[in-house]
Every structure is written in structure tokens, then in C-alpha cells.
Amino acid sequence: MFLLYLFSSFAAVSGVLGSSPSYNGLGLTPQMGWDNWNTFACDVSEQLLLDTADRISDIGLKDLGYTYVILDDCWSSGRSSNGTLVADKEKFPNGMSHVADHLHNNSFLFGMYSSAGEYTCAGYPGSLGHEEDDADFFASNGVDYLKYDNCYNKGQFGAPETSYNRYKAMSDALNKTGRPIFYSLCNWGQDLTFYWGSDIANSWRMSGDIYPEFTRPDSRCPCDGDQFDCAYAGFHCSIMNILNKAAPMGQNAGIGGWNDLDNLEVGVGNLTDDEEKAHFSMWAMVKSPLIIGADVNQLKASSYSIYSQASIIAINQDPKGVPATRVWRHQVPQTDKYGQGEIQFWSGPLDNGDQVIALLNGGNKARPMNTNLEEIFFDSYLGSEQLTSSWDIYDLWANRVDNATSSSILTNNSVGNATIYNATALSYKDGLAKNDTRLFGTKIGSISPDGLLNTTVPAHGIAFYRLRRSS
Ligand code: GLA
């Protein structure tokens, strides 16, 4: 029993289960970028991609790490007589390689989309049975990333091996092109993707499609709660629905292969600022890709300052690559004076020995919440150095860029002399190693071995801290 406990502690703390090296050398940290689907759906064009890329660059988001510009569904007009995919000439008058060249010249990477089915989800030609031809098409057009969907799969699912083989065909085809192409599975977690995803891909969607609601249930996204093996993924999944499904899966993700909780809804729909902060923090903490889903030309200043919060991105890009674990989850009844809903506590190890923690309030009113070292270091053995040390508490949102600065960056289309983090100049890894203060938030107190960390967490909100051993 004791030995078993020791092993499971070690596995959880070090991320052993998910730490096999990347199958193709890519995805050493979760991918960051922009994808058109959440805001523009099928309304895609060369102009949208190039304008968006310019804007991402001008307002400093590229230098924060958002380097993949991903074109989702609806770009094609069919196949030529010899079977090659053809880009829609009205939407992409100069072809896809023109888009790729423009992006590459501006230090972006280019993502495209297809489906492991007869058609894509919006009914365009899919790649099932055309894997090698289509992989050649993507490689020869300078594509660096493939999002590979699951619609119209001709019933080829229902057992892990069936789905694995269908997705492996494209993995092999991409490898055969010789071009490094990040492979992002979009099979919605069907057939337990977390068990086999990292053998053939760099990330895998683990749920149905997200929508900009924090907790609202929707019958089109069944399986609420911890149901990680949802047979019907659906869509209109709330942020808390997806997070709860992802909770047990962190143990199977790690360097080279990540759980993808879907594109970010920050700046999309009517989420509150607290909801957007909680959403962004949790996606960062479980090491989901950080893919902007908003129209960056219409971004609110508050949403901009969320996307640009480098101390949160540094959690996501931490070199250890271990997704945080949910330590507890409670349902609060309607009779509770602080409102009803669910509350959670999450904790995860970071490369330099720090620990990231989240007190998450899914309830409908602000509430006092607390935690202690026993919960924070839930896997540590009694008497361990973690439990007997004092820890300084850094609030990861306290040094957020103020609204006036964000507004001026958006209006002037330039970072100007604002001190936005620049990961092109100093990578997150090096910035963390150098203790760059912008990556560490602001110290707000400390916690001793027998102390209690008390805070008030807003409705649908988060308290998000980095703990550093007190000197
Ligand atoms: C599916 C995917 C989405 C998006 C659409 C495009 O629903 O899960 O992310 O790519 O298809 O049609």
C-alpha cells in the first residue's frame, strides 16, 4: 500500500505518465495562436487571415507567443480531376502558398484544417482515403499545422484502435512529407484519445465544441461532470463542462502531447471579466493550447489584457509541462448564504519548484475560500520539505496591464512603450530562469506550514496564485 502510494505520488508530481518525448519533436509546450472558428465560422478569406496576422503582430500578441494562424473549415472548393484539394478562388484568390509566404515573412506559422472523414464538418471534401495526397498538398503549400476533425467518418469509430488507425494514417502521411507539421487532432475525445493521442499527434481535443457560457448546461453537449468517456461529444459545451471533463485527463498529457480544451472564448460573446480570467487561467494551468478565438480587430481592452497577461502564459509555457490536478470539487447547495454552484481547488508543480494553485468559484455569488499546504502539496509525504516550508504567495493577475494602456495599444495599433512581455526577445523559459518579474505576478503575503490561505473569490471567478518558497 505504502509503496503504491509512493509510486502514485511520484507519478503525479513528476508527470511520468505523460512525459514521453514528442513523437515528431514538436509541441514541447502547448501551442499558441489564433483560429477563426469561434468568431468567423465559415466566413474565411485571405484578407481575414492576413489582416488578423498583421493586427496580432502590431498589438504585441505575436511576441507574446501567439504564432500559429489557423484557418479552420470552409476554405476549399473541392478536388481537381486528379484528386488534389483546391482552395476556393474567391476566398483565396492567390492560393494557399501566398498566405503561407505572407505569414512566414512575418514570423508566423500557418495552420490549416481537414477532417478524417469523407467530408469536413461543414461539408467540404475530407481527407479519409486521401491522406498522402492531402498531406502533400499541405506540405507543398507551406503549412506548419494541421487541425484534423472527425465528421463524416463513415462509422469508423467505437473502439480505440479504429479511431487510432484512422488518425494514424494522416500522422504517417504528414511525417512522410518531411516537413515538420504540428498535428492537432479534433476527434472530441472519442475512443479515449488521451490514451493514444501522444503516440501519433501533438494535441487532441477532448470534448465537444466550446461556446461562450461559463456554466450554462445545453442538451447538445451531454455528459456533465467528470464523464471523460462521453460517447456523444456534441457542441455548446460550457467552460466548466469542458474543464470537468478534462480534470482526470491531465495525467496523460505532457511534453509533446496536450489535451486541447478548445479555442479560447475570451473576447467572444458576453462572458464577464471574471469569467474570462477564470477561463484563461484554467486553460493555462491544465496546459491546453492557448488559441485566441476572438476577432482581434474588435477586442475589448479588458480581453486584450487577459490575452497579454504574461504571468499566466508563463504557467502554460512552463518547461516542466505538467497539467495541474484538481484536488477537490464541492457542490454548494441553494441554501448556502454565498450562493449556489460548484467550487474547486487545483494545484500543479512548476519547473523551478514553484507551485501554481487556483481557487475556482463556479457559483453565482462571491464567496470566501481557503486552502492550506496539505491541500496544495496533496501528494507530498508527511514531513516533506514542501509541507515544512513557508511559501510566498504571488497573485498572478495583480500586475495586469491597466485598461488605459490596453485601450491605447488597441487604438494606436502599436505596443508603443508599454512594457508588454516579448517572448521573441526573451523566451518564457529564459524569462523564468532569470526571474523576470513580469512572469511572477505580485507578492501579496505568505503561508506557513500550519497557516491558512484565505481569500474571497468572485462569482464565476478565480484566485490564481504562484507559490514560491520563502527565502
Ligand atoms: C467541428 C470542430 C470545430 C470546427 C468545426 C468546423 O465542429 O470541432 O472546432 O473545426 O467542426 O466545421
Side-chain angles (χ1 to χ4, degrees), residues 293-313:
D295 177 353
V296 287
N297 279 298
Q298 304 292 332
L299 212 51
K300 297 187 294 266
S302 59
S303 300
Y304 171 78
S305 69
I306 289 176
Y307 280 127
S308 60
Q309 186 63 7
S311 53
I312 308 289
I313 302 174

Side-chain angles (χ1 to χ4, degrees), residues 37 72-73 113 121-122 147 149 151 186 188 205 209 262:
W37 185 254
D72 213 286
D73 204 349
Y113 164 101
C121 294
K147 173 175 175 180
D149 217 331
C151 284
C186 182
W188 321 314
R205 280 274 302 283
D209 290 5
D262 208 352

